[in-house]
Amino acid sequence: MSAPETCACADAARVGKEDNQPDTVAIIVAGGTGERFGDPRGKQFVDLCGLPLMCWPLLAFDHAPSVGHIVVVCAPDRVDTVRDEVLSRVTLLTPVTLAASGETRQQSVAHGLAAMPRGYDFVAVHDAARPLIETEVIEGVIACVREDPKLAGAICATRSVDTLKLVEDGVIIATPDRSFYWAAQTPQVFRTRALTSAYKSAAWEGYQGTDDASLVERHGGKVRCYDSPRDNIKVTVPEDLAIACTALEQRLLM
């Protein structure tokens, strides 16, 4: 058994790109209700350092030179909210399309894929609730896929630093080697054809994956881990917002 393959081509804007034309569409998934967060507005709309939380990943992708279009997937009854309370608060140079979310995240990404314009080689799927993603990381994981034609995709992930326990009925039954384990993040970047094919196959077979990479892996695609910063957290509970706020304030002061 071998550890997951990794890519470390960080800070490499448009590596392997022969021209300056953007080749990637970003799908920002913002359809969640945020029940665990406990705010009726949804966590993607709460204030973070003076802007709605989902403004920050939008700005990061807007600044990425490889990204030529952004698709925001949101609940049908939140389209006006996204337009009036999010998009109106920031100046984006990248064209934005709004798409309706589905009942599950997987359905929401499928709707985003259906709404994206044609002609882009890569698609980057990102959770709107991960506000600390940086443009350099976005470019790095895109470059990771672009550089290696054998790859179907690459995902942002961090190596496990905690000891892991396999537990059954509350009792530890094994302590696996943590060097084989990574915590998956977003963005997850794929060749457009590979991701759309994997989604069509999953829909046909009624398969529900845990993330986008799991669908591509199941479809036979080779997916690599891109070692990304640990602070690329997903805001899930109120405590996460406090951590994100502190980290973002430190960045803004630099």
Side-chain angles (χ1 to χ4, degrees), residues 69-252:
H69 200 97
I70 297 173
V71 177
V72 176
V73 185
C74 60
D77 61 352
R78 293 296 183 91
V79 171
D80 290 339
T81 302
V82 170
R83 184 180 294 113
D84 298 338
E85 299 183 16
V86 177
L87 297 180
S88 67
R89 298 286 302 277
V90 291
T91 300
L92 303 179
L93 300 180
T94 308
V96 177
T97 296
L98 297 179
S101 60
E103 294 182 2
T104 65
R105 184 187 185 279
Q106 189 165 313
Q107 290 178 352
S108 295
V109 175
H111 292 178
L113 288 170
M116 65 179 279
R118 295 181 179 181
Y120 288 89
D121 295 330
F122 306 100
V123 56
V125 183
H126 185 68
D127 298 321
R130 291 187 187 271
L132 298 179
I133 186 63
E134 296 183 275
T135 298
E136 292 79 6
V137 176
I138 295 169
E139 285 294 331
V141 68
I142 294 172
C144 186
V145 184
R146 187 188 292 129
E147 280 191 307
D148 188 346
K150 295 181 180 179
L151 288 181
I155 69 169
C156 287
T158 58
R159 301 172 188 269
S160 175
V161 296
D162 296 317
T163 297
L164 301 176
K165 300 293 183 180
L166 186 62
V167 179
E168 186 175 311
D169 296 326
V171 178
I172 297 170
I173 59 175
T175 302
D177 183 350
R178 70 184 179 193
S179 67
F180 291 107
Y181 291 88
W182 292 59
Q185 303 175 345
T186 64
Q188 300 193 353
V189 178
F190 306 92
R191 299 186 187 279
T192 301
R193 182 176 296 180
L195 187 60
T196 54
S197 296
Y199 261 86
K200 288 178 181 177
S201 176
W204 178 259
E205 299 173 16
Y207 175 78
Q208 289 291 319
T210 53
D211 66 352
D212 305 295
S214 65
L215 271 63
V216 175
E217 294 159 30
R218 180 176 178 271
H219 201 54
K222 182 179 180 182
V223 182
R224 182 167 289 171
C225 285
Y226 177 82
D227 201 352
S228 58
R230 296 187 61 80
D231 66 3
N232 182 26
I233 64 170
K234 184 176 183 180
V235 174
T236 303
V237 295
E239 303 93 279
D240 297 332
L241 184 64
I243 295 171
C245 183
T246 299
L248 188 56
E249 285 177 343
Q250 290 178 345
R251 285 188 194 174
L252 295 174

